[in-house]
Amino acid sequence: MNAAPDTGARAARRRDRRVYTRSRPLLFALLAAARRRPVLRVGGTVLVNGTEPYRHALTRIPLDRAAEGTTGGAARELSGGGSLFDEEGAGHRAARRTVALDLGAAGVERLRPVWRAVLDRRLAPLATGDAVDLVPLARELAGATVRALLDVTADPAALSDAAAEVAAVAVRGHLPGPGRSRAARAAGPAAARLAALLTPAGQDDLDERVRDERVSGEHVPDEHVPDGKPGRDGSGGAGREAVGEAAGHVGRSAGADTGREAAGDTGGDTDRDAGQGAGGDARQGAGGSAGGRAGRDAERAAARRAMLAVAAVNTTVAALPRAAAWCADAGLWEQAADSRSRAALVDELLRVVAPSPLLPRVAAADADLDGCPVRAGDRLILVARHAVHADDTPPDARCPVAPAVAQLVFGAGPHACPGARLARAQLDDMLAALAPFRPSVVAARADRRAALPGWRTLTVRATALAPGPHGGSPC
């Protein structure tokens, strides 16, 4: 039986707050203390909490996407550029069009059987009264989806774990304290593990062809240069603040290896030889140049694949278990079971969960934000959680907030998250699968190491029997 709405919502909020207070207690306390101010300046940093100021900052204030400390800046510095979140102009538009093809309606429907198979298998124990931990389910679901999207052959759980570790290391590297030096040492190995898992299917054969080119002099057509498959090297996701630097590390790791293979051991030497006089080996010099181009192209493509993988995995693993806990604690399974209200409930849950609760940005020009002067170079902390009223308005499909407000968890303007449709579809399917069981939470433990606020374990058990395929009991 569903709990009373007010009591259930309070219980759900108390539980959900633990993912913040157990992982980032000081940061959460500071942000909570300032949440009543739409815009607040603290030294050279401007906190943006209000809905309209948040939208204004994303759509009307020029942002320096290569600035130090921002996602784009870290990705550009470490990967040589091209990570989607730091791009502008024609390059940015082209990359986003590519991503839109894969994450549009047709792309999501192509991927849907992948995560539905994970849901069917992982949730089957609920029908026999057994408990299910939704965090491993979310990890496998995210890893399997990314594997299919990027056309790689890695084990979904291994891919998900590697992406989570890369993001966690990147976040720890930006937090004060002794953990920064340890995170710096761990970043390289973590990135190398993820890069190895993100090699597209057929890449080994392609690398062999590139090496053969050095010997035979034959040209590998541009469309076969290791730049990822069409629609497989873009990036998107709501976890932007956690993954830019991680993508840069992976891009450099994968790109450096490919560049060395393309140029060969002699390619670098012959570049120098060719520069010493006309008697140099022109073919070897050209081989070194082509190898450098291939390495740079592969580095950019790898950074984009890494950005997508890290963002998709971390936001999915953070969002799905938290949304299920909200439904269980707030008594929302009736809304989740009704196909007429479930879409609205999905938007409401994503709004309240706000997987990426804040976005760090840097202003590129002077501006005014709700009466607060903003100077070029000021750091902007855009608090999505407050902008969408996640802290004070519980989810309710019968009385949802305005769609324009709920959408802000995915950003706004030309840099809005292209993965919004995918996130909604995955949560919709998970709620549809869980709702017949009306599960309750029997154990929950916050993840103190994750890049984004989430659960380390979130175990549920059915309180009702789901109907079998012909309307009867499954037992």
Side-chain angles (χ1 to χ4, degrees):
M1 184 174 180
N2 291 339
D6 290 346
T7 302
R10 287 196 296 270
R13 191 179 303 284
R14 280 196 303 272
R15 187 193 300 277
D16 193 62
R17 191 178 290 120
R18 287 164 50 190
V19 303
Y20 297 99
T21 59
R22 302 293 173 86
S23 60
R24 307 282 188 270
L26 181 59
L27 177 61
F28 178 77
L30 290 173
L31 293 178
R35 71 184 184 275
R36 300 302 179 191
R37 301 281 296 276
V39 181
L40 176 66
R41 172 178 288 279
V42 182
T45 299
V46 179
L47 297 177
V48 182
N49 298 303
T51 302
E52 290 309 314
Y54 182 95
R55 193 195 318 275
H56 185 110
L58 286 175
T59 59
R60 298 185 182 181
I61 294 181
L63 300 176
D64 184 350
R65 299 189 178 276
E68 182 180 357
T70 65
T71 306
R76 181 175 293 278
E77 177 183 353
L78 295 171
S79 70
S83 68
L84 187 70
F85 294 150
D86 67 325
E87 293 175 329
E88 297 285 358
H92 172 71
R93 290 191 295 272
R96 290 185 69 87
R97 280 195 297 269
T98 299
V99 177
L101 291 175
D102 269 9
L103 299 181
V108 168
E109 289 306 311
R110 178 181 70 84
L111 295 169
R112 207 159 204 153
V114 174
W115 71 69
R116 281 183 169 176
V118 176
L119 288 171
D120 290 344
R121 176 169 45 80
R122 285 280 190 170
L123 295 179
L126 291 177
T128 57
D130 293 327
V132 172
D133 188 346
L134 297 184
V135 175
L137 178 153
R139 287 186 183 134
E140 183 182 351
L141 184 152
T145 302
V146 169
R147 181 178 69 169
L149 178 62
L150 298 182
D151 194 23
V152 298
T153 59
D155 174 72
L159 194 159
S160 185
D161 288 346
E165 180 61 20
V166 167
V169 167
V171 168
R172 290 199 298 273
H174 284 90
L175 295 177
R180 297 186 68 175
S181 59
R182 291 195 298 270
R185 291 192 298 270
R193 285 192 293 273
L194 181 58
L197 294 171
L198 290 178
T199 301
Q203 181 72 62
D204 292 340
D205 293 338
L206 177 56
D207 289 344
E208 187 66 34
R209 289 188 59 195
V210 173
R211 285 192 293 270
D212 290 345
E213 176 189 3
R214 184 178 70 251
V215 177
S216 66
E218 295 179 358
H219 175 61
V220 177
D222 289 343
E223 61 267 26
H224 294 298
V225 172
D227 193 24
K229 293 191 175 184
R232 302 296 191 263
D233 63 351
S235 174
R240 286 184 280 269
E241 73 285 355
V243 301
E245 183 170 354
H249 277 299
V250 178
R252 291 187 68 85
S253 176
D257 291 342
T258 305
R260 284 193 296 270
E261 290 174 352
D265 292 337
T266 60
D269 294 337
T270 53
D271 263 346
R272 292 190 293 272
D273 294 342
Q276 292 173 357
D281 190 328
R283 185 185 65 79
Q284 289 179 332
S289 176
R293 286 196 302 273
R296 288 190 296 272
D297 288 345
E299 186 175 310
R300 286 193 291 268
R304 287 172 176 167
R305 289 195 300 272
M307 183 70 78
L308 189 153
V310 177
V313 165
N314 284 275
T315 52
T316 300
V317 173
L320 295 189
R322 288 178 62 193
W326 260 98
C327 284
D329 292 337
L332 299 176
W333 289 126
E334 183 177 347
Q335 295 182 23
D338 189 341
S339 60
R340 297 167 297 180
S341 61
R342 191 164 56 243
L345 180 62
V346 164
D347 285 342
E348 281 287 277
L349 288 169
L350 288 172
R351 173 185 66 82
V352 171
V353 168
S356 295
L358 58 86
L359 304 176
R361 297 292 184 265
V362 171
D366 293 349
D368 180 89
L369 199 54
D370 199 42
C372 176
V374 175
R375 297 182 293 269
D378 280 347
R379 187 171 303 281
L380 306 176
I381 303 298
L382 310 180
V383 189
R385 170 179 166 82
H386 297 162
V388 299
H389 301 286
D391 59 316
D392 59 20
T393 305
D396 188 348
R398 297 165 299 188
C399 187
V401 303
V405 174
Q407 172 64 27
L408 290 178
V409 294
F410 297 108
H415 290 271
C417 171
R421 185 189 299 269
L422 178 67
R424 292 186 177 107
Q426 290 180 328
L427 180 54
D428 189 289
D429 283 349
M430 188 190 75
L431 295 182
L434 283 171
F437 297 104
R438 302 297 197 270
S440 62
V441 177
V442 297
R445 181 158 60 100
D447 195 333
R448 299 172 185 267
R449 297 182 66 254
L452 299 177
W455 296 109
R456 186 171 183 82
T457 61
L458 194 289
T459 306
V460 300
R461 191 185 302 274
T463 64
L465 287 179
H470 303 293
S473 169
C475 301

